[in-house]
Amino acid sequence: MNLNGNHAARRTTTCVLTLALVILASSAIAQTPQPAPAESKPPQTYQTLYLTSPLEQHDALDIVTDLRNMLPRARVFYIPSQNAISMLGTSDDFQLAKQILSGIDRARKTYRLTYTITQTDNGQPAGTQHVALIVASGERADLKQGTRVPIVTGKFDTGTSNANTQVQYQDVGLNINATLSGTPDDLRLRTRIEQSSVADEKYDLGVQDPVIRQTSLDAMSNLTSGKPSVLGSLDIPGTSRHMEIAVSSEPVQ
């Protein structure tokens, strides 16, 4: 019986098994994923960004909302008294914020609106009136031209020779409300025009009660610079007159 041979074989087998275990352990260690290093956050700083154009508060808040949506990690606040934006963020945040503001922080375009009111009587020219308003895009302009007509609303007998008379005043004339919106390529105008006058006839209720004749127009239109746009035409009730209202726009330099 060869004891030395068996003993040598067992030692060889043990060495092979040990070597295999060492190789498997080394392979397991090599395949174990190493934890990624913690990502370092870029430092944040504070800056004040001043708006170059005077804005209404709702317009400034729209800009702040835009910045907050585009820069979710930054903190953005609007300071109305300074027309400025207070911001805490990274250098990349400030770079993008300045790029955004350069595209939207601009002075509003201003336009001259010229209204032409043409009246005819039985087809014959009866007068033309021109009214010009300066309006900025996104703003409203109002014009009121005329007189105030006294209207007696009541009399109270106080038992003396002088009766107490109650009077109210009615504005008579031309009223124009113009609201402009949009861009130079897509300019939209909302116009409300009221024109009133005192008629010659009187009510039977009292000699001092005037009859007020009134015409109004409420229209929405798209404008092309330098090209008149007809807002509407109508017949004036109780008369043989016809009225046509047109408007044209041009940018103000």
Side-chain angles (χ1 to χ4, degrees):
M1 185 173 184
N2 189 357
L3 297 176
N4 291 333
N6 292 336
H7 182 69
R10 286 196 296 271
R11 283 190 300 175
T12 302
T13 303
T14 303
C15 291
V16 172
L17 291 175
T18 302
L19 180 60
L21 291 174
V22 171
I23 293 174
L24 290 174
S26 300
S27 177
I29 294 173
Q31 294 179 1
T32 301
Q34 299 297 322
E39 182 181 357
S40 60
K41 295 182 179 180
Q44 289 187 322
T45 57
Y46 168 82
Q47 287 190 30
T48 300
L49 305 177
Y50 290 95
L51 301 176
T52 59
S53 304
L55 299 174
E56 297 293 334
Q57 185 168 359
H58 63 274
D59 295 327
L61 293 178
D62 288 342
I63 292 178
V64 170
T65 301
D66 186 21
L67 291 175
R68 288 174 177 170
N69 291 335
M70 297 298 294
L71 306 169
R73 293 180 297 180
R75 302 184 67 182
V76 184
F77 301 94
Y78 175 59
I79 308 173
S81 60
Q82 300 295 324
N83 196 35
I85 292 176
S86 178
M87 181 173 166
L88 179 67
T90 65
S91 59
D92 291 340
D93 291 336
F94 287 113
Q95 183 177 357
L96 181 55
K98 292 176 182 178
Q99 182 179 352
I100 295 173
L101 290 178
S102 66
I104 60 178
D105 181 22
R106 297 182 179 180
R108 293 181 177 179
K109 295 290 186 180
T110 304
Y111 300 87
R112 178 182 290 105
L113 303 178
T114 301
Y115 289 90
T116 301
I117 303 173
T118 304
Q119 293 193 34
T120 58
D121 192 351
N122 288 324
Q124 301 298 319
T128 301
Q129 184 177 5
H130 299 282
V131 179
L133 300 175
I134 303 296
V135 189
S137 179
E139 299 292 339
R140 168 178 165 172
D142 300 320
L143 179 140
K144 180 179 290 187
Q145 183 184 48
T147 57
R148 304 194 70 191
V149 177
I151 299 176
V152 177
T153 59
K155 290 185 177 181
F156 304 94
D157 190 357
T158 59
T160 62
S161 57
N162 296 325
N164 187 7
T165 303
Q166 184 176 0
V167 178
Q168 291 184 354
Y169 290 87
Q170 174 72 39
D171 292 328
V172 175
L174 178 65
N175 293 334
I176 298 179
N177 306 125
T179 303
L180 201 59
S181 61
T183 63
D185 297 330
D186 184 22
L187 199 61
R188 298 181 296 275
L189 174 65
R190 173 75 179 270
T191 299
R192 179 171 178 80
I193 296 180
E194 294 181 355
Q195 190 167 40
S196 57
S197 61
V198 179
D200 295 334
E201 65 267 23
K202 303 290 184 179
Y203 282 126
D204 295 335
L205 298 177
V207 179
Q208 295 179 330
D209 295 329
V211 175
I212 305 297
R213 182 178 291 119
Q214 188 177 57
T215 302
S216 64
L217 173 68
D218 196 336
M220 190 77 180
S221 59
N222 293 328
L223 300 181
T224 301
S225 181
K227 183 179 179 181
S229 175
V230 176
L231 298 180
S233 59
L234 46 90
D235 295 324
I236 300 177
T239 70
S240 57
R241 290 178 174 266
H242 181 81
M243 177 186 296
E244 182 179 274
I245 303 172
V247 62
S248 61
S249 66
E250 58 179 342
V252 176
Q253 303 297 334

